[in-house]
Amino acid sequence: MEMLEERIRRDGIVRSGNVLKVDSFINHQMDIALFEEMAKEWKRLFSGKPINKILTIEASGIGIAAIVAKEFNVPVVFAKKSMSVNLDGNNYTTHIKSFTHNKIYDVIVSKKYLGPDDHVLIIDDFLANGCALVGLLELIEAAGAHTEGIGIAIEKGYQLGGQIIRGRGIQLESLAIVESMNDQTGEIVFRHNN
Ligand code: 5GP
């Protein structure tokens, strides 16, 4: 998506440790007009799919997912991260290794908000190694719900997540795919499939 790539080129900052900072428009301050354009693009890319729920993970996915939910006119649920899980049987639970914090979190979704009638579109800000998405897919499977697709704002195409998810036959639509980035020069190269 041209608009997102341009914004990343202009305002994204490449940090050492393979981290792309997009705090000025996605991860801290949020550009809602940009999110609305991204949501429209996903609506087009997933048209014809019977999506009735958006699922994301706290915290950074929530802003984008909320705008996507408005575009699809469906509810949005976010999986909650916690250091200790209350095993009371009311939640689906999995573990996710955080790319940015290098910690393992328990992640939960209440059984009240995800179930067999749900046709889910997962939305998240970044795709790196795919740990967050694999965890969310486990929660959907545990709930007996259906994964209709995954929308990612920025995929780091040189990490393995995209390959893992596409290898499972899931429709994955990343609006910008970073082919390479250089923390010395700040240069970011995008991948285009066409
Ligand atoms: P994964 O689970 O795919 O390895 O990593 C995905 C999660 O890590 C995303 O939800 C995002 O919060 C975070 N993340 C991964 N790479 C980056 C990055 O380069 N920049 C930022 N800001 N977050 C990242």
Side-chain angles (χ1 to χ4, degrees):
M1 186 187 179
E2 190 60 38
M3 190 185 190
L4 180 60
E5 290 184 10
E6 265 173 30
R7 190 60 179 273
I8 296 166
R9 265 202 201 93
R10 199 180 79 200
D11 294 332
I13 298 167
V14 184
R15 285 277 159 82
S16 62
N18 182 30
V19 171
L20 177 59
K21 292 285 271 185
V22 288
D23 279 9
S24 65
F25 57 105
I26 293 182
N27 284 148
H28 194 21
Q29 176 169 259
M30 297 189 285
D31 183 338
I32 301 303
L34 174 65
F35 289 5
E36 282 171 343
E37 292 307 313
M38 290 160 55
K40 280 185 204 153
E41 183 64 2
W42 281 314
K43 186 89 200 297
R44 187 182 71 77
L45 291 164
F46 292 106
S47 68
K49 295 245 168 161
I51 292 159
N52 65 0
K53 194 156 285 183
I54 307 297
L55 178 68
T56 189
I57 180 164
E58 70 176 354
S60 54
I62 296 175
I64 300 173
I67 303 299
V68 174
K70 174 120 194 311
E71 181 68 30
F72 280 76
N73 197 23
V74 299
V76 52
V77 175
F78 62 92
K80 294 189 173 201
K81 290 177 186 164
S82 78
M83 295 308 278
S84 65
V85 163
N86 183 3
L87 291 171
D88 56 8
N90 295 325
N91 301 310
Y92 301 110
T93 307
T94 190
H95 308 286
I96 293 181
K97 184 169 184 291
S98 159
F99 177 86
T100 31
H101 300 113
N102 205 18
K103 270 189 216 156
I104 294 183
Y105 292 94
D106 289 321
V107 176
I108 62 154
V109 170
S110 167
K111 290 183 178 174
K112 279 191 277 189
Y113 306 126
L114 198 61
D117 293 337
D118 286 324
H119 291 260
V120 179
L121 174 63
I122 298 176
I123 293 290
D124 206 1
D125 58 344
F126 271 90
L127 171 56
N129 295 319
C131 302
L133 289 185
V134 168
L136 291 176
L137 290 169
E138 279 169 11
L139 293 175
I140 292 171
E141 201 181 329
H146 310 269
T147 302
E148 294 294 339
I150 300 177
I152 294 290
I154 306 170
E155 174 180 340
K156 291 189 288 183
Y158 51 88
Q159 290 185 258
L160 279 179
Q163 211 174 306
I164 292 167
I165 298 299
R166 291 187 180 91
R168 292 190 180 194
I170 298 168
Q171 184 182 354
L172 168 63
E173 301 290 354
S174 301
L175 300 185
I177 302 182
V178 175
E179 182 70 56
S180 64
M181 57 187 198
N182 185 322
D183 63 6
Q184 301 298 312
T185 62
E187 192 195 13
I188 302 169
V189 177
F190 293 99
R191 179 187 301 169
H192 298 110
N193 292 324
N194 45 0

